[in-house]
Amino acid sequence: MKRYLASALAVTTMLTTPALADDAALREAAKEYFEAIPMNAPALPSGEAITREKVDLGAMLFFDPRMSKSGLFSCQSCHNVGLGGVDGLETSVGHGWQAGPRNAPTMLNAVFNIAQFWDGRAADLAEQAKGPVQAGVEMNNTPEQVVATLTSMPGYVDAFKASFPGEEDPVTFDNFAKAIEAFEATLITPNSKFDQFLMGQDGAMDEQEKRGLQAFIDTGCVSCHSGINFGGNGYYPFGLIEKPGADILPEGDRGRFAVTETADDEYVFRAAPLRNIAITAPYFHSGKVWDLKVAVDIMAESQLGEKLDEGTIDDITAFLGTLTGEQPQVVHPTFPVSTATTPKPAP
Ligand code: HEM
Ligand code: HEM
């Protein structure tokens, strides 16, 4: 009787669960779309060298709130290294306690994206780093003031000299951005369960996670979320098949339209990178969705016109959890001390 029950259960499971390709076949299928994150920082697309000195300087600049006008906000305020690189807010809060228009994406693995920001308006991390310092709702500073702040502290001047040897006047806003770029290139999260599976370890993912991977491929998520970062490499209308309501996709933010001013780019956004997605809620550029399962459900309907059943949503969500990699262990830097000539924080 027991045996009968067991085999009946097995048949029921087979009927309700789509057949899984074996591990080797699933791995081969996955390799067509995805790549593992390397263990070490990749070369920068700009060709700029990544040196120890530059990375250390970049870390100081990333964490130092004196780079903002108020002396309160640093990159770390909104891209918390201990929180998966995000602030966990619907939209970020910056200078003067103003809420910005968009959710902060993680800077972890951002070096692998073809362009930065939800709309891809910055070509690379160095160009990107110049934005938030000057943005009124973020750090509200000016390049001149940043350079004046840095020049006022011998510790910073020495660090710039060591990072950019041979340059006559190394304390520049361009070099500020280059040092941050070098630091950010080290903020990668290798060795996730998925990467271990991709590299040959069958046991790294459990059955549900493997079913989720298969469903992620079969449902068509891979058509936009592929490559090393599961996204960050192409632009698509949010609402390709069915436009989500204004509660999820606020009408005022028309995405790449603001960059290209082309009608075709209305509500077009960069396919969001999905590495570490399980630890970077809330979701979408509006930050309106807190539950990853709900985000998966919305994506399937809006981008693919598919109404997924609950089991498949659970499986895909479990699979997305395998994209959480080893988080960078960063020692909080000690900053050079302010001097009499360091510009004072201002409201
Ligand atoms: C976007 C780094 C400061 C909020 C980004 C991205 C990076 C980054 C790399 C793009 C990630 C991607 O597209 O996947 C930095 C650095 C900063 C800094 C290096 C310091 C110089 C801040 C601050 C805030 C903030 C202080 C909050 C007040 C945001 C938001 C976005 C963003 C909201 C998305 C903006 C959009 O797409 O329009 N940041 N960030 N960032 N960051 Fe920062
Ligand atoms: C965003 C998953 C299919 C394009 C997202 C996000 C998730 C996700 C979780 C939120 C990322 C974040 O907030 O950081 C999925 C899943 C899919 C799927 C599970 C399959 C069921 C697609 C397809 C496309 C696409 C087929 C392209 C046609 C995008 C875009 C965004 C995004 C453009 C950014 C949306 C925004 O501006 O907020 N996806 N996706 N996705 N996905 Fe997908």
Side-chain angles (χ1 to χ4, degrees), residues 62 74-75 78-79 92-94 102-107 110 113 116-118 121 125 128-129 132-133 137-139 180 184 270:
F62 188 93
S74 68
C75 314
C78 303
H79 303 283
S92 293
V93 171
R102 287 182 181 164
N103 173 261
T106 182
M107 74 307 177
N113 296 331
Q116 303 299 320
F117 290 125
W118 287 98
R121 68 184 182 280
L125 289 171
Q128 191 287 327
V133 184
V137 294
E138 296 188 5
M139 298 163 83
I180 291 184
E184 284 182 315
R270 194 189 59 183

Side-chain angles (χ1 to χ4, degrees), residues 258-281:
V259 184
T260 64
E261 296 194 357
T262 309
D264 283 354
D265 280 339
E266 285 222 331
Y267 302 104
V268 165
F269 292 88
R270 194 189 59 183
L274 301 182
R275 290 278 181 182
N276 301 296
I277 192 72
I279 59 168
T280 59

Side-chain angles (χ1 to χ4, degrees), residues 7-24:
S7 54
L9 271 176
V11 171
T12 323
T13 320
M14 272 167 62
L15 288 177
T16 52
T17 316
L20 250 195
D22 66 52
D23 285 338

Side-chain angles (χ1 to χ4, degrees), residues 122-199:
D124 56 38
L125 289 171
E127 184 185 329
Q128 191 287 327
K130 295 179 181 173
V133 184
Q134 301 177 73
V137 294
E138 296 188 5
M139 298 163 83
N140 198 30
N141 215 341
T142 61
E144 296 71 32
Q145 185 88 341
V146 169
V147 170
T149 302
L150 296 167
T151 315
S152 73
M153 292 178 258
Y156 266 126
V157 175
D158 289 348
F160 272 85
K161 278 188 188 147
S163 301
F164 300 96
E167 289 189 24
E168 192 146 316
D169 182 17
V171 190
T172 62
F173 195 51
D174 271 350
N175 284 346
F176 161 91
K178 283 180 184 169
I180 291 184
E181 177 183 44
F183 169 61
E184 284 182 315
T186 67
L187 302 179
I188 57 176
T189 65
N191 216 18
S192 65
K193 281 167 140 192
F194 170 75
D195 285 355
Q196 290 176 27
F197 175 78
L198 199 68
M199 289 182 290

